[in-house]
Amino acid sequence: MHPIVFGIPNCDTVKKARAWLTEHGVQATFHDFKKQGVPVAELQTWLDHWGWEKLLNRQGTTWRQLDPATQASVTDAASAAKVMSAHPSTIKRPVIVWPTGLITVGFVPDQWPV
């Protein structure tokens, strides 16, 4: 079983993570949010594990381009999940689900079980 890297292929952080994994001999499956969407059950697991504040990327272009009412509507995990499902680029990337069950968010090789 291989880790699953969730993200967007043109995201620099996702590119860096995928390259790092390849350089370290880790075969990973890539799940493209743009083509395959955000898996609802996985998103809920990530929210349960990390919390919506950690998972929601408020620094990115997509978040900044949302209208103020949509931004203001995000007040809890349910409202964050709704926005993240509709706008996958608002999810901090990459999210990696490891065969051990570990879930990591962002480019953090020191936290990866490699």
Side-chain angles (χ1 to χ4, degrees), residues 32-81:
D32 184 344
F33 286 150
K34 296 286 188 180
K35 291 183 180 174
Q36 298 168 275
V38 177
V40 175
E42 292 281 351
L43 178 58
Q44 189 57 56
T45 300
W46 305 338
L47 288 166
D48 292 345
H49 185 81
W50 281 103
W52 67 272
E53 298 92 342
K54 168 78 173 170
L55 198 59
L56 183 64
N57 181 6
R58 294 183 182 186
Q59 306 304 315
T61 304
T62 301
W63 175 260
R64 292 192 308 266
Q65 290 176 344
L66 294 176
D67 64 87
T70 300
Q71 291 178 351
S73 74
V74 179
T75 57
D76 58 17
S79 56

Side-chain angles (χ1 to χ4, degrees), residues 7-20 93-94 107:
I8 297 166
N10 63 347
C11 170
D12 288 340
T13 308
V14 171
K15 287 178 188 176
K16 190 163 52 168
R18 292 176 76 190
W20 189 96
R93 303 173 299 273
F107 181 71

